[in-house]
Every structure is written in structure tokens, then in C-alpha cells.
Amino acid sequence: MMNKNQTHRTRPWPGFPTPKSLGTNFGDANCMEQLLVHCANAIETNDATLTQQILWVLNNIAPQDGDSNQRLTCAFLRALIARAARIGSCKVLAAMANSQANFTIHTHKFSVIELASFIDLTPWHRFGFTAANAAILEAVEGYSVVHIVDLSLTHCMQIPTLVDAIASRQDANVSPPLLKLTVAGTTEDIPPMLDLSYEELGFKLVNFARSRNIVLEFRVIPSSYTDGFANLIQQLRVQNLVYAESGEALVVNCHMMLHYIPEETLTLPSINLNPSSSGSTSSYAFDVASSSSSTTPSLRTMFLKALRGLDPTIVVLVDEDADLTSNNLVCRLRSAFNYLWIPYDTVDTFLPRGSKQRQWYEADVCWKIENVIAYEGFQRVERLEPKCRWVQRMRNANFRSVLFGEDAVSEVKAMLDEHAAGWGLKREDEDVVLTWKGHNVVFATAWIPA
């Protein structure tokens, strides 16, 4: 601790940005990002004094009820404090994190109705739903049985929109296809969270489909992203011959879930596969876990190759267009800061301050920021990759991209018209990308076996 004579210094703190380098506007996003970077460096070098000094500045310029830049910075501030407390670099910070309730993230467990209306607030998920549904409908045209494997962060909230689309396009003289829906029953608590079991959710989906005159069969396969959905792949392999003989379409819908599968920056020896958590574990997971070779493909790569082996009719991959895979904290912080300003900026356009939905929305973003900043190794599950890298992964797994047609683009544009003017759509090769004020947010890609 400093004594009274040390509280005011005539020279800047070591490594601390000077007023000249920061500029005079402490509310500027670039200034706040630079302060966060200096704070992260101080934590990593175990400089508790400098860490506390920068945190004091951040705490005064970034209130949790401020503007979008201040709320974003406050979330990173809390994440850095959580990191300092976790690695034990500063006892004062650990005490601060443990004693102040406002550093605790309270994520909401949604009812189905709450989650459906919550998703409708923004194109963040609706964009992927709309683009994917259009691609799926075109791919399964003429099939009497459509099997959908839904790997979705939003707990099947896309399925009612797909059922509606199938029912709306159905010819009165032709029977609608039988829908088989398979989901991976993951147990991990990743926002948004649902307050009911997958069995209860399946019952609701079956009833909804029936109300639209469509027969839906629902199945849950206990499986986890931690081992590359190994049990799900194994169960689908067992039934693969059935698909081929019956001539049913196999649709794999991946909506913001695949980036939780471990990739190359997570060193393989730290992966602790637990077969008991997913029933049985397929051979590809064991192969990866047992090898210490630096050339061994990641679980992410192995999953996509295993998926290709199922010969699906179509694979739709939708995810957030950012890179959060760096093992360097500062690089990861900069990348996250320059992407996650978007949800804070957009929330001001559709939710008033103090509303419960806004609290839920920002708590989910805070959870993501804390996971990216405060955790390492297997506990850091938010490992987003940009579109270009996913495109290369899919091509390496022997998939060929499919162009989104004009119908898909028109439907996405019509959906965006329901939201704030800042949202936009652009095409990149065969893919479509959701933008906010010109910045890439979410991409949608469609693939068939090459």
C-alpha cells in the first residue's frame, strides 16, 4: 500500500499510458481499449500495484449503467478482476471479486415463450434461422422423410420457424414430409439457458408440428461438444445405412454451436475426455486424445470429417464472425473488444434501460466476455473462428459450398426490415453475412458433400 506522500507522483506509472498518448477523452472506445490492454499486461506480469491503479481509473470512467462503450468496458473490467482473482496475482483483487455482488453474472433461465420472444428482438439469431431454413427447404425438396440433426445454441428455437416454412410451402395434393429431429442433449450451462428438459421441449415441438399438420419425431442423444459430439456421431453412424436404404434426407443444422468444440490452440494433453458424460465415445475422439503429435487434427477438424462420412444432404453452418482463439490474452482481449461492442451498441436501439430483457441480454454477453478473458485451457469454451477459417475447414473435410438463392436473400432482407436501420446484409462468394453499421456480425454458409 502507498503512504500519503506517494499518492501523487510527478512521473507516470511504469507502463501506464500518458494523457498525451490517450488523448483527453476518457470515454473514447480506443482509450478504454488501451486501458484494458495495459491492465491485462499488468495482470500477466503480476504487477499488482499497476493493476490496481488502472482498475481504479477504469472503475471511475466505465460505470455499469453508462453508455454502450462504458458498459462494454465495465464487462471487461469485471472479467479482468475475475482473471486476477483466479490466478491469484493480487489478494486485494481476489477479495474485491469475492466481496462485491455486482461482479457476479446472473444469467437467466428462460421459459420457451421467453426465449422465443427474446430471440425475436434482434436478427442475431433470426438471420441464421432465415438463411438456413431457405437453404434446407431447397435441399430437401421432394423427400418424403427429412432427418434434421440440430446442433443449436438456441435450444431448437429454429425448428418452429422451419416447420412453419415447410407447412406454408406444402402443396395441398402432396403429403408433407415426415420430420425426424435429433438433438445433442448437452449438459453444459452456456447462455441462453432453458428452464426445462429436452424431453419436455421435444413434447412441445411435437405438439406444435401437429398443429401445422406435420408429423415430427423427436430424439435426444446425450452428447457434448467437449469431445466433439462423439456419441452423437457414433449413433448417427450406426443408423447411416438406414438413411441410405430409406432415401431420407439428412440435414445437419449447426447454429453457433461448433465453435465450442476444441480446436488447435487448446493443447491436446489438457483435454480430459470423459466417456461417461456422453454414453459411449467414438473412436475418433480416442484417437485425438491418445496422440501427442503436434500434427494431430483437432477435435473440430475430426468432427467435420466424421460428419462428411455420414454423407449428409446438406450441412448449414451459422456462427459469429470473429476470432477468439488466440492463446495471447492481449490479442484475445483486443479481438473480443472489437467484436463485442456490437451487442452493446445494438441493445440501445430496441431495449430501454432497466428492462429485464436488457439485463438478460447483457448478462449473456458478460458471460461470454468473462469466459474469453478470465479462463484458460479447457474451461475457456468461447473459441470463435472467423468465416474464412470455417470455410477452409469445410473444404478440407471435402465439402462444397452451396450458393444462397435469391429467395433466401429476399427473405433475409424482409426479416431485417423488421429491425433497426443499422442492420444489413452482404454477400461474400456463396455465403451471406449479417452486418451492423457495416461490421460483420454473423455468417451463414451451406454445404454439400464434394
Side-chain angles (χ1 to χ4, degrees):
M1 296 293 292
M2 297 180 295
N3 61 41
K4 291 182 180 180
N5 294 327
Q6 292 175 303
T7 55
H8 299 287
R9 292 171 176 256
T10 55
R11 60 184 178 83
W13 287 76
F16 189 80
T18 63
K20 184 177 180 180
S21 65
L22 282 176
T24 57
N25 185 8
F26 276 92
D28 178 73
N30 291 330
C31 166
M32 291 183 173
E33 179 187 358
Q34 192 172 345
L35 283 168
L36 289 168
V37 166
H38 280 280
C39 186
N41 279 323
I43 289 173
E44 293 304 278
T45 57
N46 206 21
D47 190 334
T49 302
L50 180 57
T51 299
Q52 289 176 78
Q53 174 73 1
I54 302 174
L55 286 175
W56 182 87
V57 175
L58 286 167
N59 197 47
N60 279 277
I61 66 173
Q64 60 182 351
D65 60 349
D67 63 26
S68 59
N69 283 335
Q70 290 172 322
R71 300 197 309 278
L72 170 69
T73 303
C74 181
F76 276 88
L77 166 65
R78 291 187 293 189
L80 285 170
I81 290 173
R83 180 181 180 88
R86 285 179 58 81
I87 64 178
S89 62
C90 178
K91 292 181 180 179
V92 173
L93 293 179
M96 184 188 301
N98 292 329
S99 65
Q100 295 195 28
N102 66 330
F103 285 102
T104 303
I105 300 172
H106 300 285
T107 50
H108 179 68
K109 282 200 171 185
F110 291 90
S111 68
V112 170
I113 299 299
E114 284 177 340
L115 184 56
S117 62
F118 186 72
I119 285 171
D120 282 344
L121 290 170
T122 166
W124 204 280
H125 293 292
R126 292 189 72 199
F127 164 80
F129 291 0
T130 307
N133 287 350
I136 291 168
L137 285 173
E138 186 174 343
V140 302
E141 182 73 32
Y143 283 90
S144 59
V145 182
V146 178
H147 183 186
I148 304 162
V149 179
D150 192 42
L151 296 173
S152 173
L153 184 66
T154 59
H155 308 287
C156 300
M157 290 297 105
Q158 180 179 340
I159 301 305
T161 67
L162 180 58
V163 168
D164 256 339
I166 292 173
S168 299
R169 291 194 179 191
Q170 200 59 42
D171 189 326
N173 299 317
V174 180
S175 298
L178 166 66
L179 296 185
K180 298 180 178 179
L181 176 61
T182 298
V183 301
T186 59
T187 57
E188 291 81 14
D189 289 334
I190 297 176
M193 292 181 284
L194 208 55
D195 71 349
L196 76 167
S197 68
Y198 271 100
E199 288 73 16
E200 294 171 297
L201 177 62
F203 180 75
K204 291 179 181 294
L205 290 171
V206 168
N207 284 339
F208 174 79
R210 186 182 297 122
S211 74
R212 306 292 277 130
N213 297 316
I214 290 178
V215 177
L216 173 68
E217 298 176 356
F218 182 86
R219 180 175 60 150
V220 180
I221 296 179
S223 197
S224 170
Y225 61 77
T226 57
D227 62 3
F229 296 106
N231 192 46
L232 174 69
I233 291 291
Q234 182 68 9
Q235 295 298 317
L236 293 173
R237 276 177 176 163
V238 169
Q239 299 181 34
N240 203 24
L241 292 176
V242 178
Y243 305 148
E245 291 174 2
S246 66
E248 65 185 54
L250 176 60
V251 175
V252 184
N253 185 61
C254 307
H255 184 89
M256 301 190 186
M257 181 58 77
L258 296 196
H259 71 261
Y260 293 104
I261 298 175
E263 38 66 65
E264 290 81 359
T265 64
L266 180 57
T267 53
L268 295 176
S270 68
I271 298 178
N272 179 24
L273 293 176
N274 182 10
S276 63
S277 66
S278 58
S280 61
T281 305
S282 68
S283 58
Y284 81 82
F286 282 124
D287 290 343
V288 174
S290 61
S291 174
S292 59
S293 171
S294 60
T295 59
T296 301
S298 69
L299 282 176
R300 202 168 287 190
T301 297
M302 298 300 284
F303 168 81
L304 294 178
K305 289 185 176 180
L307 206 61
R308 174 62 182 86
L310 299 175
D311 200 28
T313 308
I314 188 170
V315 176
V316 182
L317 172 56
V318 175
D319 218 320
E320 297 164 311
D321 198 6
D323 187 358
L324 303 181
T325 59
S326 176
N327 280 331
N328 179 278
L329 174 63
V330 169
C331 290
R332 205 162 66 240
L333 186 151
R334 286 190 184 279
S335 184
F337 190 88
N338 286 286
Y339 176 70
L340 293 172
W341 69 270
I342 297 173
Y344 281 94
D345 196 45
T346 61
V347 76
D348 290 338
T349 66
F350 66 90
L351 288 175
R353 292 192 181 191
S355 71
K356 283 188 176 181
Q357 286 184 320
R358 180 156 166 168
Q359 293 171 13
W360 299 341
Y361 185 91
E362 294 195 355
D364 284 4
V365 184
C366 284
W367 186 95
K368 185 188 291 282
I369 291 171
E370 181 169 308
N371 187 264
V372 169
I373 299 302
Y375 292 84
E376 293 293 350
F378 202 59
Q379 292 179 311
R380 177 159 59 82
V381 299
E382 284 290 346
R383 294 173 175 270
L384 288 170
E385 288 188 306
K387 180 176 78 75
C388 60
R389 206 174 297 164
W390 279 112
V391 166
Q392 193 58 53
R393 285 188 185 278
M394 294 299 289
R395 288 174 179 166
N396 291 345
N398 203 25
F399 283 100
R400 177 170 64 84
S401 60
V402 179
L403 178 70
F404 284 92
E406 289 306 316
D407 285 349
V409 172
S410 296
E411 288 180 33
V412 171
K413 286 180 177 178
M415 181 273 296
L416 292 180
D417 287 341
E418 302 172 17
H419 296 279
W423 295 106
L425 169 70
K426 70 178 181 181
R427 306 196 67 156
E428 292 184 353
D429 301 321
E430 289 89 356
D431 315 320
V432 288
V433 180
L434 174 70
T435 64
W436 172 254
K437 298 180 179 178
H439 298 270
N440 285 16
V441 182
V442 175
F443 66 85
T445 62
W447 304 86
I448 59 175

